[in-house]
Coordinates of all heavy atoms in Angstrom, one line a residue:
D88 N 9.4 -30.6 -11.7 CA 10.0 -30.3 -13.1 C 9.2 -29.1 -13.5 O 8.1 -29.0 -13.5 CB 9.4 -31.5 -13.9 CG 10.2 -31.6 -15.2 OD1 11.5 -31.2 -15.3 OD2 9.7 -32.1 -16.3
T89 N 10.1 -28.2 -14.0 CA 9.6 -26.8 -14.4 C 10.1 -26.6 -15.8 O 10.8 -27.3 -16.4 CB 10.2 -25.7 -13.5 OG1 11.7 -25.6 -13.8 CG2 9.9 -25.9 -12.0
T90 N 9.6 -25.6 -16.4 CA 9.9 -25.0 -17.7 C 11.4 -25.0 -17.9 O 12.1 -25.4 -18.8 CB 9.2 -23.7 -18.2 OG1 7.8 -23.9 -18.0 CG2 9.6 -23.3 -19.5
H91 N 12.0 -24.3 -16.7 CA 13.5 -24.1 -16.8 C 14.4 -25.4 -16.8 O 15.3 -25.6 -17.4 CB 13.8 -23.1 -15.8 CG 13.2 -21.8 -16.0 ND1 12.1 -21.5 -15.2 CD2 13.6 -20.7 -16.7 CE1 11.6 -20.2 -15.6 NE2 12.5 -19.8 -16.5
T92 N 13.9 -26.2 -15.8 CA 14.6 -27.5 -15.7 C 14.5 -28.4 -16.9 O 15.4 -29.2 -17.4 CB 14.3 -28.4 -14.5 OG1 12.8 -28.7 -14.4 CG2 14.6 -27.6 -13.2
R93 N 13.3 -28.3 -17.6 CA 13.1 -29.0 -18.9 C 14.1 -28.5 -20.0 O 14.7 -29.2 -20.7 CB 11.6 -29.1 -19.4 CG 10.8 -30.0 -18.5 CD 9.3 -30.1 -19.1 NE 8.7 -28.9 -19.2 CZ 7.9 -28.3 -18.2 NH1 7.7 -29.1 -17.1 NH2 7.2 -27.3 -18.4
H94 N 14.1 -27.2 -20.0 CA 15.0 -26.6 -21.1 C 16.5 -26.9 -20.8 O 17.1 -27.4 -21.8 CB 14.9 -25.0 -20.9 CG 15.8 -24.4 -21.7 ND1 15.5 -24.0 -23.1 CD2 17.1 -23.8 -21.6 CE1 16.5 -23.4 -23.7 NE2 17.5 -23.2 -22.8
I95 N 16.9 -27.0 -19.6 CA 18.3 -27.4 -19.3 C 18.5 -28.8 -19.7 O 19.5 -29.2 -20.2 CB 18.7 -27.0 -17.9 CG1 18.8 -25.6 -17.7 CG2 20.0 -27.8 -17.5 CD1 18.9 -25.1 -16.2
K96 N 17.5 -29.6 -19.3 CA 17.7 -31.1 -19.7 C 17.7 -31.3 -21.2 O 18.5 -32.1 -21.7 CB 16.6 -31.9 -19.1 CG 16.7 -32.2 -17.6 CD 15.3 -32.9 -17.2 CE 15.2 -33.0 -15.7 NZ 14.0 -33.6 -15.3
N97 N 16.9 -30.6 -21.9 CA 16.8 -30.7 -23.5 C 17.9 -30.0 -24.1 O 18.3 -30.5 -25.2 CB 15.4 -30.2 -23.9 CG 14.3 -31.1 -23.4 OD1 14.5 -32.3 -23.2 ND2 13.1 -30.5 -23.3
R98 N 18.3 -28.9 -23.7 CA 19.2 -28.0 -24.4 C 20.5 -27.6 -23.8 O 21.4 -27.0 -24.4 CB 18.5 -26.8 -25.0 CG 17.4 -27.0 -25.8 CD 16.7 -25.7 -26.1 NE 15.4 -26.1 -26.7 CZ 15.0 -25.7 -28.1 NH1 15.9 -25.2 -28.7 NH2 14.0 -26.1 -28.5
G99 N 20.6 -27.9 -22.5 CA 21.8 -27.6 -21.8 C 21.8 -26.2 -21.3 O 20.7 -25.5 -21.5
E100 N 22.8 -25.7 -20.5 CA 22.8 -24.3 -20.0 C 22.9 -23.3 -21.2 O 23.4 -23.6 -22.3 CB 24.0 -24.2 -19.1 CG 23.8 -25.1 -17.8 CD 24.9 -24.9 -16.8 OE1 25.6 -23.8 -17.0 OE2 25.0 -25.6 -15.9
G101 N 22.4 -22.1 -20.9 CA 22.5 -21.1 -21.9 C 21.2 -20.3 -21.8 O 20.4 -20.3 -20.9
L102 N 21.1 -19.4 -22.8 CA 19.9 -18.6 -22.9 C 18.6 -19.4 -23.0 O 18.4 -20.3 -23.8 CB 19.9 -17.7 -24.2 CG 19.0 -16.7 -24.4 CD1 19.0 -15.6 -23.3 CD2 19.0 -16.0 -25.8
Q103 N 17.6 -19.1 -22.0 CA 16.4 -19.9 -21.9 C 15.4 -19.2 -22.7 O 14.5 -19.8 -23.4 CB 16.0 -20.1 -20.5 CG 15.0 -21.1 -20.2 CD 13.6 -20.7 -20.4 OE1 13.2 -19.5 -20.1 NE2 12.6 -21.6 -20.7
H104 N 15.3 -17.9 -22.6 CA 14.3 -17.1 -23.4 C 14.7 -15.7 -23.4 O 15.4 -15.2 -22.6 CB 12.9 -17.3 -22.9 CG 12.5 -16.8 -21.6 ND1 12.9 -17.3 -20.4 CD2 11.8 -15.6 -21.3 CE1 12.4 -16.5 -19.4 NE2 11.9 -15.5 -19.9
L105 N 13.9 -15.0 -24.3 CA 14.1 -13.5 -24.3 C 12.8 -12.9 -23.9 O 11.7 -13.4 -24.3 CB 14.4 -12.9 -25.7 CG 15.7 -13.4 -26.2 CD1 15.9 -12.7 -27.7 CD2 16.9 -12.7 -25.5
C106 N 12.9 -11.8 -22.9 CA 11.6 -11.2 -22.5 C 11.6 -9.8 -22.9 O 12.6 -9.1 -22.8 CB 11.6 -11.3 -21.0 SG 10.1 -10.5 -20.2
F107 N 10.4 -9.3 -23.5 CA 10.3 -8.0 -23.9 C 9.0 -7.4 -23.1 O 8.1 -8.0 -23.0 CB 10.0 -7.8 -25.4 CG 11.2 -8.3 -26.3 CD1 11.2 -9.7 -26.6 CD2 12.1 -7.5 -26.6 CE1 12.2 -10.1 -27.5 CE2 13.2 -7.8 -27.3 CZ 13.3 -9.1 -27.8
K108 N 9.3 -6.2 -22.6 CA 8.2 -5.5 -22.0 C 7.3 -5.0 -23.1 O 7.8 -4.3 -24.0 CB 8.7 -4.3 -21.1 CG 7.6 -3.7 -20.2 CD 8.3 -2.5 -19.3 CE 7.2 -1.8 -18.5 NZ 7.7 -0.8 -17.8
A109 N 6.0 -5.2 -22.9 CA 5.1 -4.9 -24.1 C 3.9 -4.0 -23.5 O 3.6 -4.0 -22.3 CB 4.5 -6.1 -24.6
T110 N 3.4 -3.3 -24.4 CA 2.0 -2.6 -24.1 C 1.1 -3.1 -25.3 O 1.5 -3.3 -26.3 CB 2.2 -1.0 -24.3 OG1 2.8 -0.7 -25.5 CG2 3.2 -0.5 -23.2
N111 N -0.1 -3.2 -24.8 CA -1.2 -3.7 -25.7 C -0.9 -5.1 -26.3 O -0.8 -5.3 -27.5 CB -1.5 -2.7 -26.7 CG -2.9 -3.0 -27.4 OD1 -3.6 -4.1 -27.1 ND2 -3.4 -2.1 -28.2
T112 N -0.6 -6.0 -25.3 CA -0.2 -7.4 -25.8 C -1.2 -8.0 -26.6 O -0.9 -8.8 -27.7 CB 0.0 -8.3 -24.4 OG1 0.9 -7.6 -23.6 CG2 0.5 -9.6 -24.9
K113 N -2.5 -7.7 -26.5 CA -3.6 -8.3 -27.3 C -3.3 -7.9 -28.7 O -3.5 -8.7 -29.7 CB -4.9 -7.8 -26.8 CG -6.1 -8.5 -27.4 CD -7.3 -8.1 -26.7 CE -8.6 -8.9 -27.2 NZ -9.8 -8.6 -26.5
A114 N -3.1 -6.6 -29.0 CA -2.9 -6.2 -30.5 C -1.6 -6.8 -31.0 O -1.6 -7.2 -32.2 CB -2.8 -4.6 -30.4
I115 N -0.6 -7.0 -30.2 CA 0.6 -7.5 -30.7 C 0.4 -9.0 -31.1 O 0.9 -9.4 -32.1 CB 1.8 -7.5 -29.6 CG1 2.2 -6.0 -29.4 CG2 3.0 -8.4 -30.0 CD1 3.1 -5.9 -28.0
L116 N -0.3 -9.7 -30.2 CA -0.6 -11.1 -30.6 C -1.5 -11.2 -31.8 O -1.2 -12.2 -32.7 CB -1.4 -11.8 -29.5 CG -0.5 -12.0 -28.1 CD1 -1.5 -12.6 -27.0 CD2 0.6 -12.9 -28.5
E117 N -2.4 -10.3 -32.2 CA -3.1 -10.3 -33.4 C -2.2 -10.2 -34.6 O -2.4 -10.9 -35.6 CB -4.2 -9.3 -33.3 CG -5.3 -9.5 -32.4 CD -6.4 -8.4 -32.3 OE1 -6.4 -7.6 -33.2 OE2 -7.1 -8.4 -31.3
K118 N -1.2 -9.2 -34.4 CA -0.3 -9.1 -35.6 C 0.7 -10.3 -35.9 O 0.9 -10.7 -36.9 CB 0.5 -7.8 -35.5 CG -0.1 -6.5 -35.5 CD 0.6 -5.4 -35.2 CE -0.1 -4.1 -35.2 NZ 0.8 -2.9 -35.0
L119 N 1.2 -10.9 -34.7 CA 2.0 -12.0 -34.8 C 1.3 -13.3 -35.4 O 1.9 -14.1 -36.2 CB 2.7 -12.3 -33.4 CG 3.5 -11.3 -32.9 CD1 4.1 -11.6 -31.5 CD2 4.9 -11.1 -33.8
K120 N 0.0 -13.3 -35.1 CA -0.7 -14.6 -35.5 C -0.7 -14.6 -37.0 O -0.6 -15.7 -37.6 CB -2.3 -14.5 -35.0 CG -3.0 -15.7 -35.4 CD -4.4 -15.6 -34.7 CE -5.2 -16.8 -35.0 NZ -6.5 -16.7 -34.5
K121 N -0.7 -13.5 -37.7 CA -0.7 -13.4 -39.2 C 0.6 -14.0 -39.7 O 0.7 -14.5 -40.9 CB -0.9 -12.1 -39.7 CG -2.2 -11.5 -39.5 CD -2.3 -10.0 -39.7 CE -3.7 -9.4 -39.2 NZ -3.7 -7.9 -39.5
E122 N 1.6 -14.1 -38.9 CA 2.9 -14.6 -39.3 C 3.2 -16.0 -38.8 O 4.2 -16.6 -38.9 CB 4.1 -13.7 -38.8 CG 4.0 -12.2 -39.1 CD 4.1 -12.1 -40.7 OE1 5.0 -12.8 -41.2 OE2 3.5 -11.1 -41.3
G123 N 2.2 -16.5 -38.2 CA 2.3 -17.9 -37.6 C 2.8 -18.0 -36.3 O 3.1 -19.0 -35.7
I124 N 2.9 -16.9 -35.6 CA 3.6 -16.9 -34.2 C 2.4 -16.8 -33.3 O 1.6 -15.8 -33.2 CB 4.5 -15.7 -34.1 CG1 5.7 -15.9 -35.0 CG2 5.0 -15.6 -32.5 CD1 6.6 -14.8 -35.0
V125 N 2.2 -17.8 -32.4 CA 1.1 -17.8 -31.5 C 1.5 -18.1 -30.1 O 2.7 -18.7 -29.9 CB 0.1 -18.9 -32.0 CG1 -0.6 -18.4 -33.2 CG2 0.6 -20.3 -32.1
P126 N 0.8 -17.9 -29.0 CA 1.1 -18.2 -27.6 C 1.2 -19.6 -27.4 O 0.3 -20.4 -27.9 CB 0.0 -17.6 -26.9 CG -0.6 -16.7 -27.7 CD -0.5 -17.2 -29.1
T127 N 2.2 -20.1 -26.7 CA 2.2 -21.5 -26.1 C 1.8 -21.4 -24.6 O 1.3 -22.5 -24.1 CB 3.6 -22.0 -26.3 OG1 4.6 -21.2 -25.6 CG2 4.0 -22.2 -27.7
I128 N 2.0 -20.3 -24.1 CA 1.5 -20.1 -22.6 C 1.0 -18.6 -22.7 O 1.6 -17.7 -23.2 CB 2.7 -20.2 -21.6 CG1 3.2 -21.6 -21.7 CG2 2.3 -19.9 -20.2 CD1 4.5 -21.7 -20.8
D129 N -0.1 -18.4 -22.1 CA -0.8 -17.2 -22.0 C -1.6 -17.0 -20.7 O -2.5 -17.7 -20.6 CB -1.7 -16.9 -23.2 CG -2.2 -15.5 -23.3 OD1 -2.2 -14.7 -22.4 OD2 -2.8 -15.2 -24.5
Y130 N -1.1 -16.2 -19.7 CA -1.9 -16.1 -18.5 C -1.7 -14.7 -17.9 O -0.8 -13.8 -18.3 CB -1.4 -17.2 -17.5 CG 0.0 -17.0 -17.0 CD1 0.3 -16.3 -15.9 CD2 1.0 -17.6 -17.8 CE1 1.6 -16.3 -15.4 CE2 2.3 -17.5 -17.3 CZ 2.7 -16.8 -16.2 OH 3.9 -16.8 -15.7
Q131 N -2.6 -14.3 -17.0 CA -2.6 -13.1 -16.3 C -2.8 -13.4 -14.8 O -3.5 -14.3 -14.4 CB -3.8 -12.2 -16.8 CG -3.6 -11.9 -18.2 CD -4.7 -10.9 -18.8 OE1 -5.2 -10.1 -18.0 NE2 -5.1 -11.1 -19.9
F132 N -2.3 -12.4 -14.0 CA -2.5 -12.4 -12.6 C -2.4 -11.0 -12.0 O -1.8 -10.1 -12.7 CB -1.5 -13.3 -11.8 CG -0.1 -13.0 -12.0 CD1 0.5 -12.2 -11.0 CD2 0.7 -13.4 -13.0 CE1 1.9 -11.9 -11.1 CE2 1.9 -13.1 -13.2 CZ 2.7 -12.3 -12.2
V133 N -3.0 -10.7 -10.8 CA -2.9 -9.5 -10.2 C -1.9 -9.5 -9.1 O -2.0 -10.6 -8.3 CB -4.3 -9.0 -9.8 CG1 -4.2 -7.7 -9.1 CG2 -5.3 -8.8 -11.0
T134 N -1.1 -8.5 -8.9 CA -0.2 -8.5 -7.8 C -0.1 -7.0 -7.3 O -0.8 -6.1 -8.0 CB 1.1 -9.0 -8.1 OG1 2.0 -9.1 -7.0 CG2 1.8 -8.2 -9.2
T135 N 0.7 -6.7 -6.4 CA 0.9 -5.3 -5.9 C 2.4 -4.9 -6.1 O 3.3 -5.7 -5.7 CB 0.7 -5.2 -4.3 OG1 -0.7 -5.7 -4.2 CG2 0.7 -3.8 -3.9
Q136 N 2.6 -3.8 -6.7 CA 3.9 -3.3 -6.9 C 4.0 -1.9 -6.4 O 3.1 -1.1 -6.9 CB 4.3 -3.3 -8.3 CG 4.6 -4.7 -8.9 CD 5.1 -4.8 -10.2 OE1 5.0 -3.9 -11.0 NE2 5.8 -5.9 -10.5
N137 N 4.9 -1.5 -5.6 CA 5.0 -0.1 -5.1 C 3.6 0.3 -4.4 O 3.2 1.5 -4.6 CB 5.4 0.9 -6.2 CG 6.7 0.5 -6.7 OD1 7.7 0.1 -5.9 ND2 7.0 0.6 -8.0
G138 N 2.9 -0.6 -3.7 CA 1.7 -0.2 -3.1 C 0.4 -0.1 -4.0 O -0.6 0.3 -3.5
K139 N 0.6 -0.4 -5.2 CA -0.5 -0.3 -6.2 C -0.7 -1.6 -6.9 O 0.2 -2.4 -7.2 CB -0.2 0.7 -7.3 CG -0.1 2.1 -6.8 CD 0.2 3.1 -7.9 CE 0.4 4.4 -7.3 NZ 0.7 5.5 -8.3
K140 N -2.0 -2.0 -7.1 CA -2.4 -3.2 -7.8 C -2.1 -3.0 -9.3 O -2.2 -2.1 -9.9 CB -3.8 -3.5 -7.6 CG -4.2 -4.1 -6.3 CD -5.6 -4.6 -6.3 CE -6.0 -5.3 -5.1 NZ -7.4 -5.8 -5.0
V141 N -1.5 -4.1 -9.9 CA -1.1 -4.2 -11.3 C -1.5 -5.6 -11.8 O -1.3 -6.6 -11.1 CB 0.3 -3.8 -11.4 CG1 1.3 -4.8 -10.8 CG2 0.7 -3.7 -13.0
R142 N -2.0 -5.6 -13.0 CA -2.3 -6.9 -13.6 C -1.0 -7.2 -14.6 O -0.6 -6.4 -15.2 CB -3.4 -6.8 -14.5 CG -3.8 -8.2 -15.3 CD -5.1 -8.1 -15.9 NE -6.2 -7.9 -15.1 CZ -6.8 -8.8 -14.3 NH1 -6.4 -10.0 -14.5 NH2 -7.8 -8.5 -13.6
I143 N -0.5 -8.5 -14.4 CA 0.6 -8.8 -15.2 C 0.1 -9.8 -16.3 O -0.6 -10.7 -15.9 CB 1.7 -9.6 -14.2 CG1 2.0 -8.8 -13.1 CG2 2.8 -10.0 -15.1 CD1 2.8 -7.5 -13.4
H144 N 0.5 -9.6 -17.5 CA 0.1 -10.4 -18.6 C 1.3 -11.0 -19.2 O 2.1 -10.3 -19.7 CB -0.7 -9.6 -19.7 CG -1.3 -10.4 -20.8 ND1 -2.0 -9.9 -21.8 CD2 -1.4 -11.8 -20.8 CE1 -2.3 -10.9 -22.6 NE2 -2.1 -12.2 -22.1
E145 N 1.4 -12.2 -19.1 CA 2.6 -13.0 -19.5 C 2.3 -13.9 -20.7 O 1.3 -14.6 -20.6 CB 3.3 -13.8 -18.4 CG 4.0 -13.0 -17.4 CD 4.9 -13.9 -16.5 OE1 5.9 -14.3 -17.0 OE2 4.5 -14.1 -15.4
V146 N 3.0 -13.8 -21.8 CA 2.8 -14.6 -22.9 C 4.2 -15.2 -23.4 O 5.1 -14.4 -23.7 CB 2.2 -13.9 -24.1 CG1 1.8 -14.8 -25.3 CG2 0.9 -13.2 -23.6
Y147 N 4.2 -16.5 -23.6 CA 5.3 -17.2 -24.2 C 4.9 -17.5 -25.7 O 3.7 -18.0 -25.8 CB 5.8 -18.3 -23.5 CG 6.6 -18.1 -22.3 CD1 5.9 -17.8 -21.0 CD2 8.0 -18.0 -22.2 CE1 6.6 -17.5 -19.9 CE2 8.6 -17.8 -21.0 CZ 7.9 -17.4 -19.9 OH 8.6 -17.2 -18.7
L148 N 5.7 -17.2 -26.6 CA 5.4 -17.5 -28.0 C 6.1 -18.7 -28.6 O 7.2 -19.1 -28.2 CB 5.8 -16.2 -28.8 CG 5.1 -14.9 -28.4 CD1 5.8 -13.7 -29.1 CD2 3.6 -15.0 -28.7
N149 N 5.6 -19.2 -29.6 CA 6.1 -20.4 -30.3 C 7.3 -20.0 -31.3 O 7.4 -20.5 -32.4 CB 5.0 -21.2 -31.1 CG 4.5 -20.4 -32.3 OD1 4.5 -19.2 -32.2 ND2 4.1 -21.1 -33.3
T150 N 8.2 -19.2 -30.8 CA 9.3 -18.7 -31.6 C 10.5 -19.5 -31.7 O 11.5 -19.2 -32.4 CB 9.6 -17.3 -31.2 OG1 10.0 -17.5 -29.7 CG2 8.5 -16.3 -31.4
E151 N 10.5 -20.8 -31.0 CA 11.6 -21.6 -31.0 C 12.0 -21.9 -32.5 O 13.2 -22.1 -32.8 CB 11.4 -22.9 -30.2 CG 11.3 -22.5 -28.7 CD 11.2 -23.8 -27.8 OE1 12.0 -24.7 -27.9 OE2 10.1 -23.9 -27.1
E152 N 11.1 -22.3 -33.3 CA 11.4 -22.5 -34.7 C 11.7 -21.4 -35.5 O 12.2 -21.5 -36.7 CB 10.3 -23.4 -35.4 CG 9.0 -22.6 -35.5 CD 7.7 -23.3 -35.0 OE1 7.8 -23.9 -34.0 OE2 6.6 -23.1 -35.7
F153 N 11.5 -20.1 -35.1 CA 11.7 -18.9 -35.9 C 12.9 -18.2 -35.5 O 13.5 -17.5 -36.2 CB 10.5 -18.0 -35.7 CG 9.3 -18.6 -36.2 CD1 8.4 -19.0 -35.3 CD2 8.9 -18.5 -37.6 CE1 7.1 -19.5 -35.8 CE2 7.7 -19.1 -38.0 CZ 6.7 -19.5 -37.1
V154 N 13.3 -18.2 -34.2 CA 14.4 -17.4 -33.7 C 15.6 -18.3 -33.2 O 16.0 -18.1 -32.1 CB 13.9 -16.5 -32.6 CG1 14.9 -15.5 -32.1 CG2 12.6 -15.8 -32.9
G155 N 16.0 -19.3 -34.0 CA 17.1 -20.1 -33.6 C 17.0 -20.9 -32.2 O 17.9 -21.1 -31.6
G156 N 15.7 -21.3 -32.0 CA 15.5 -22.2 -30.9 C 15.2 -21.4 -29.5 O 15.2 -21.9 -28.5
T157 N 15.0 -20.1 -29.7 CA 14.8 -19.3 -28.4 C 13.4 -18.7 -28.3 O 12.9 -18.1 -29.2 CB 15.8 -18.0 -28.5 OG1 17.1 -18.4 -28.6 CG2 15.6 -17.2 -27.2
P158 N 12.7 -19.2 -27.3 CA 11.3 -18.6 -27.1 C 11.4 -17.1 -26.6 O 12.3 -16.7 -26.0 CB 10.9 -19.5 -25.8 CG 11.7 -20.7 -25.7 CD 13.0 -20.2 -26.3
I159 N 10.3 -16.5 -27.0 CA 10.1 -15.1 -26.7 C 9.0 -14.9 -25.8 O 8.0 -15.5 -25.9 CB 10.0 -14.2 -28.0 CG1 11.3 -14.2 -28.7 CG2 9.5 -12.9 -27.6 CD1 11.3 -13.4 -30.0
Q160 N 9.2 -14.1 -24.7 CA 8.2 -13.8 -23.7 C 7.8 -12.4 -23.9 O 8.6 -11.5 -24.0 CB 8.7 -14.1 -22.3 CG 7.6 -13.7 -21.3 CD 8.3 -13.7 -19.9 OE1 9.6 -13.8 -19.8 NE2 7.4 -13.7 -19.0
L161 N 6.4 -12.1 -23.9 CA 6.0 -10.6 -23.8 C 5.5 -10.5 -22.4 O 4.8 -11.4 -21.8 CB 4.8 -10.5 -24.8 CG 5.2 -10.7 -26.3 CD1 3.9 -10.5 -27.1 CD2 6.3 -9.8 -26.7
L162 N 5.7 -9.4 -21.8 CA 5.3 -9.0 -20.4 C 4.7 -7.7 -20.3 O 5.4 -6.8 -20.7 CB 6.6 -9.2 -19.5 CG 6.5 -9.0 -18.1 CD1 5.5 -10.1 -17.4 CD2 7.8 -9.0 -17.3
E163 N 3.4 -7.7 -20.0 CA 2.8 -6.3 -19.8 C 2.3 -6.1 -18.5 O 1.8 -7.0 -17.8 CB 1.6 -6.3 -20.8 CG 0.8 -5.0 -20.9 CD -0.4 -5.1 -21.9 OE1 -0.7 -6.1 -22.5 OE2 -0.9 -4.0 -22.0
Y164 N 2.5 -4.8 -18.1 CA 2.0 -4.4 -16.8 C 0.9 -3.5 -17.0 O 1.0 -2.5 -17.6 CB 3.1 -3.6 -16.0 CG 4.4 -4.5 -15.6 CD1 5.4 -4.6 -16.6 CD2 4.5 -5.0 -14.4 CE1 6.5 -5.4 -16.2 CE2 5.6 -5.8 -14.2 CZ 6.6 -6.0 -15.0 OH 7.7 -6.7 -14.6
I165 N -0.3 -3.9 -16.4 CA -1.6 -3.1 -16.7 C -2.1 -2.6 -15.3 O -2.4 -3.4 -14.4 CB -2.6 -4.0 -17.2 CG1 -2.0 -4.7 -18.5 CG2 -3.9 -3.2 -17.6 CD1 -2.8 -5.9 -19.0
P166 N -2.0 -1.4 -15.1 CA -2.5 -0.7 -13.7 C -4.0 -1.2 -13.5 O -4.8 -1.1 -14.4 CB -2.3 0.8 -13.9 CG -1.3 0.9 -15.1 CD -1.5 -0.3 -15.9
E167 N -4.2 -1.6 -12.3 CA -5.6 -1.9 -11.8 C -6.1 -0.6 -11.2 O -5.5 0.0 -10.3 CB -5.6 -3.1 -10.9 CG -5.2 -4.4 -11.5 CD -6.4 -5.0 -12.3 OE1 -7.4 -5.3 -11.7 OE2 -6.3 -5.2 -13.6
E168 N -7.3 -0.3 -11.5 CA -7.9 1.0 -10.8 C -8.7 0.5 -9.7 O -9.2 -0.4 -9.4 CB -8.9 1.6 -11.9 CG -8.3 1.8 -13.1 CD -7.9 3.2 -13.4 OE1 -8.4 4.2 -12.8 OE2 -7.0 3.5 -14.3

């Protein structure tokens, strides 16, 4: 059972979430918190893209009640030195 299969079971086929590429996710989250929008999932991992290490920060927000039932995901690529 995954997030996607649960979504299809609960809501049927269609838009699962919207993803926005972000910079400075931490600052964005601080601003959104003032509006009652907080992470439901927040994690990071390091991978390699085009031969360079990059940290990926993914955040899913509790926007289902704010944006017509559609979760919003923030995705930030942070170069690793």
Side-chain angles (χ1 to χ4, degrees):
D88 203 29
T89 69
T90 302
H91 299 100
T92 57
R93 284 190 300 273
H94 176 83
I95 290 171
K96 285 178 191 173
N97 294 333
R98 298 177 188 247
E100 292 184 12
L102 184 66
Q103 197 272 332
H104 71 279
L105 293 174
C106 179
F107 294 94
K108 186 175 178 184
T110 56
N111 199 351
T112 304
K113 191 173 184 178
I115 294 169
L116 292 174
E117 288 175 19
K118 289 180 183 179
L119 292 173
K120 186 177 181 179
K121 295 174 186 173
E122 302 297 325
I124 299 172
V125 295
T127 56
I128 300 172
D129 185 345
Y130 64 95
Q131 297 182 35
F132 61 94
V133 176
T134 188
T135 303
Q136 290 186 341
N137 300 320
K139 296 181 181 178
K140 281 190 176 183
V141 62
R142 177 174 301 278
I143 307 294
H144 187 187
E145 286 192 75
V146 180
Y147 285 83
L148 302 168
N149 69 327
T150 51
E151 290 183 59
E152 62 227 42
F153 300 101
V154 190
T157 303
I159 291 179
Q160 175 191 18
L161 302 177
L162 184 62
E163 181 176 11
Y164 295 86
I165 307 160
E167 290 280 301
E168 308 251 345

